[in-house]
C-alpha cells in the first residue's frame, strides 16, 4: 500500500496531480511530493519496520513508487551509523557518522537515482538526461542501465575521472563541457528540447529528493527515534538537507519522533559558498557564486534551484551554514582515515572541519550529539591523497 497523494509547490502552494510527469512548478520552483500521512499513520507504525529488509525501500509506503514491480534497486540505503569516539572525545561532543559511502556506486546519490529511475519508469519515461558534478551521473547511469533505460550525462571536463568511467561503462552517453555543473545544465536543456530526453536535473523532477529523504528516516530509526542535537551536511544542490528536513516533518506528523528536531547545518567550501553568504545576510535566496572552486567537486554548485528551501530549513531548525577551506578538507580526509578508520570523500571531510569550527565558536555545546553525513567513499577520489610508502631494501 502506498500513500502518495499529490505534488505541491513550496513557493506558490499550487497543487498538481501526482501520476503525470512534471518538472518544476509553473512558477519555476521545485515540486515536493505529498502523502496521505493520516492514512499512513493508521496502518504503519515504527514497529512494522523492524522486520523489513535493510534497504531504503523499507519505507516504501512513504515513497512515490506505486507498484513494487517498478522498483529499481541495487540494495541502496540502510547504511551504517558509526560512532567516532576518539574524535568526538577530543572535541567534547558525541560524534556520529552516517556512512553513505557504503551505497551502490559509492555515494548517497544512489538513493535519489533509485527513486528517480523507479518513478520515471512507472510514469512511462524511457530516456533521461542530467548534468552532474560526477557522482549523480554515475548513480543515474547505473540505475538506468539496471532498468534498461537510456541515459545522457553531461559533466564538467574536470569532473573526477572515475565518475566519467562509471557512466561510460554503464552505457550512458557522456558529454563533457568546459566550466561548471551550471554549464552542463545548459547542454542538458538543449538535449531535452531537441532529442526528447526527460530532464532529471537536481530538483527539476520531484522524486530524487524522495530517495534522499530516506537518510532522515534511517537516522531516526537507527538512533531510536530521538534525533541528534545537530546534523551536518555538505551542501551543493542541498537535496539531501531538504530531503532530511522533509522526512523529519513527515515523521512528526506520523508521531514517530520523540524530542525536538535537530539544528541543521549546511557546509560549503570557502571557494563556493553562496548559501553560507545568503544565510549570513539573512536572505531568502542565494546569488550565483562566480569563479567557484574547491577540491570537493560535489559541493561546487554556484547556484542551487532549491537554495530557498535549504535556507528555510536552516532558519526553521535554528541551524547555521559554515564555509571551510580546501586545506582543512584535505586534513580531515586524512584525520578520519587515520584516527577512525573511515576513508571519506572530501565533501564528508568538510563536515568534520565545520564541526571543529562550530565547537571552537561554542555554537556546539559540550556533550551535544552531532551527526555528520559522509556522502561518499574516499575510494571514489583516488587522485586526492598521496600514499606514503617505503620501498623494501633487501639486507646487504
Ligand atoms: C559526494 C557528494 N556529497 C555531497 C553532494 C551535494 O549534494 P546535494 O545536492 O544534496 O547538496 C554531492 C553532489 O554531487 C556529492 O557528490
Ligand atoms: Zn509554484
Amino acid at each position: 500500500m502506498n500513500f502518495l497523494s499529490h505534488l505541491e509547490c513550496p513557493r506558490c502552494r499550487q497543487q498538481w496531480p501526482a501520476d503525470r510527469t512534471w518538472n518544476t512548478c509553473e512558477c519555476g520552483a521545485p515540486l515536493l511530493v505529498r502523502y496521505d500521512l493520516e492514512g499512513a499513520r493508521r496502518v504503519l507504525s515504527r514497529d512494522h519496520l523492524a522486520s523489513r529488509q535493510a534497504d531504503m525501500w523499507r519505507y516504501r509506503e512513504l515513497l512515490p513508487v506505486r507498484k513494487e514491480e517498478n522498483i529499481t534497486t541495487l540494495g541502496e540505503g540502510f547504511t551504517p551509523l558509526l560512532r567516532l569516539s576518539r574524535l568526538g572525545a577530543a572535541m567534547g561532543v558525541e560524534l556520529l557518522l552516517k556512512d553513505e559511502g557504503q551505497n551502490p556506486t559509492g555515494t548517497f546519490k544512489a538513493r535519489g537515482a533509485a527513486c528517480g529511475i523507479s518513478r520515471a519508469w512507472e510514469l512511462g519515461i524511457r530516456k533521461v538526461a542530467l548534468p552532474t558534478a560526477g557522482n549523480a551521473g554515475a548513480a543515474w547511469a547505473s540505475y538506468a542501465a539496471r532498468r534498461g533505460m537510456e541515459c545522457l550525462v553531461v559533466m564538467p571536463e574536470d569532473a573526477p575521472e572515475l565518475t566519467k568511467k562509471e557512466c561510460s561503462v554503464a552505457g550512458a552517453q557522456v558529454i563533457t563541457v568546459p566550466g561548471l555543473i551550471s554549464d552542463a545544465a545548459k547542454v542538458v536543456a538543449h538535449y531535452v528540447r531537441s532529442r526528447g530526453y526527460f530532464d532529471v536535473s537536481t530538483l527539476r523532477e520531484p522524486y530524487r529528493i524522495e530517495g534522499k529523504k530516506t537518510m532522515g528516516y534511517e537516522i531516526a530509526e537507527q538512533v531510536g527515534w530521538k534525533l541528534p542535537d545537530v546534523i551536518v551536511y555538505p551542501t551543493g544542490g542541498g537535496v539531501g538537507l531538504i530531503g532530511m528536513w522533509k522526512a523529519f516533518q513527515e515523521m512528526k506528523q506520523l508521531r514517530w519522533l520523540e524530542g525536538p528536531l535537530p539544528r541543521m547545518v549546511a557546509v560549503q567550501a570557502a571557494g563556493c559558498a553562496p548559501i553560507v553568504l545568503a544565510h549570513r545576510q539573512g536572505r531568502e535566496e542565494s546569488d550565483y557564486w562566480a569563479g567557484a572552486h574547491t577540491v570537493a567537486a560535489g559541493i561546487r554548485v554556484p547556484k542551487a534551484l532549491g537554495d530557498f528551501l535549504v535556507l528555510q530549513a536552516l532558519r526553521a531548525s535554528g541551524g547555521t551554514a559554515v564555509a571551510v577551506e580546501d586545506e582543512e578538507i584535505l586534513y580531515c580526509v586524512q584525520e578520519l582515515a587515520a584516527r577512525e578508520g573511515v576513508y571519506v570523500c572530501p565533501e564528508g571531510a568538510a563536515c568534520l572541519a565545520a564541526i571543529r569550527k562550530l565547537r571552537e565558536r561554542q555554537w556546539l555545546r559540550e556533550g551535544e550529539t552531532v551527526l555528520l553525513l559522509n556522502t561518499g567513499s574516499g575510494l571514489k577520489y583516488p587522485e586526492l591523497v598521496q600514499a606514503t610508502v617505503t620501498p623494501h631494501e633487501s639486507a646487504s
Side-chain angles (χ1 to χ4, degrees):
M1 193 151 177
N2 173 279
F3 291 92
L4 172 60
S5 164
H6 60 277
L7 305 180
E8 187 184 36
C9 174
R11 185 177 278 147
C12 74
R13 299 287 155 197
Q14 174 110 351
Q15 297 192 356
W16 305 90
D19 292 308
R20 285 182 45 190
T21 58
W22 298 104
N23 287 110
T24 48
C25 179
E26 265 172 4
C27 78
L31 292 171
L32 297 179
V33 181
R34 298 297 181 208
Y35 298 84
D36 169 15
L37 293 172
E38 279 308 304
R41 196 165 65 80
R42 282 195 291 273
V43 298
L44 183 67
S45 79
R46 304 184 312 196
D47 301 338
H48 286 119
L49 301 171
S51 59
R52 292 189 174 178
Q53 63 192 4
D55 65 32
M56 74 175 212
W57 298 100
R58 66 202 274 112
Y59 311 108
R60 60 184 170 269
E61 288 91 342
L62 305 162
L63 289 171
V65 184
R66 296 218 188 260
K67 291 199 179 136
E68 199 158 337
E69 73 222 36
N70 292 323
I71 292 177
T72 307
T73 180
L74 291 163
E76 54 288 339
F78 229 73
T79 54
L81 194 62
L82 307 172
R83 170 159 279 114
L84 306 181
S85 39
R86 284 206 232 182
L87 289 173
M91 286 194 266
V93 291
E94 275 290 320
L95 197 55
L96 300 170
L97 177 147
K98 186 149 175 73
D99 194 8
E100 290 294 297
Q102 298 197 33
N103 275 305
T105 74
T107 74
F108 75 133
K109 298 280 176 183
R111 296 178 191 266
C115 192
I117 286 286
S118 298
R119 184 65 174 155
W121 179 264
E122 185 161 82
L123 293 173
I125 293 160
R126 297 295 178 260
K127 290 167 74 167
V128 295
L130 72 156
T132 175
N135 289 324
W140 283 79
S142 302
Y143 284 87
R146 184 141 179 93
R147 180 43 89 179
M149 280 166 74
E150 246 182 81
C151 185
L152 169 73
V153 179
V154 187
M155 59 172 87
E157 58 195 5
D158 64 351
E161 281 306 311
L162 185 63
T163 59
K164 293 178 194 160
K165 291 182 185 170
E166 287 181 276
C167 296
S168 169
V169 79
Q173 188 185 346
V174 186
I175 297 176
T176 58
V177 296
L180 302 171
I181 188 169
S182 40
D183 301 292
K186 291 176 198 149
V187 177
V188 166
H190 165 74
Y191 277 85
V192 166
R193 276 194 307 272
S194 62
R195 307 271 173 92
Y197 283 94
F198 186 72
D199 188 349
V200 292
S201 308
T202 302
L203 293 174
R204 285 197 190 281
E205 61 78 57
Y207 300 110
R208 181 195 293 224
I209 187 173
E210 293 302 295
K212 288 196 181 175
K213 88 178 177 189
T214 57
M215 293 191 293
Y217 279 91
E218 281 175 26
I219 290 169
E221 194 180 350
Q222 288 172 319
V223 299
W225 308 103
K226 187 175 177 309
L227 290 167
D229 297 305
V230 174
I231 292 186
V232 184
Y233 181 77
T235 305
V239 186
L241 193 147
I242 301 165
M244 285 188 286
W245 189 243
K246 181 174 188 285
F248 300 151
Q249 311 302 321
E250 290 175 2
M251 281 186 280
K252 242 169 63 176
Q253 268 186 269
L254 291 164
R255 299 186 207 156
W256 284 4
L257 293 179
E258 287 151 29
L261 298 188
R263 286 144 41 220
M264 304 298 287
V265 177
V267 181
Q268 299 201 298
C272 181
I275 288 177
V276 177
L277 182 63
H279 179 72
R280 195 179 303 142
Q281 296 173 336
R283 307 213 3 240
E284 294 191 355
E285 274 188 34
S286 62
D287 287 329
Y288 183 91
W289 186 280
H293 63 90
T294 167
V295 290
I299 53 174
R300 196 178 57 165
V301 178
K303 165 78 183 162
L305 190 62
D307 54 358
F308 68 105
L309 294 171
V310 175
L311 289 159
Q312 273 171 18
L314 301 184
R315 259 197 311 274
S317 70
T320 190
V322 186
V324 298
E325 300 291 339
D326 277 4
E327 304 84 77
E328 297 174 295
I329 292 176
L330 294 173
Y331 179 81
C332 287
V333 170
Q334 298 276 353
E335 195 180 26
L336 274 159
R339 296 197 63 193
E340 297 285 357
V342 190
Y343 186 11
V344 302
C345 63
E347 295 82 0
C351 294
L352 181 64
I355 290 169
R356 186 161 283 136
K357 279 194 158 78
L358 291 171
R359 185 70 189 110
E360 280 163 12
R361 293 179 201 160
Q362 297 289 319
W363 189 90
L364 280 173
R365 295 184 283 275
E366 174 98 38
E368 285 197 302
T369 303
V370 186
L371 185 149
L372 75 90
L373 272 298
N374 173 42
T375 42
S377 168
L379 296 175
K380 295 205 72 171
Y381 298 77
E383 67 286 354
L384 207 67
V385 294
Q386 296 295 320
T388 306
V389 296
T390 310
H392 174 66
E393 284 174 27
S394 51
S396 49

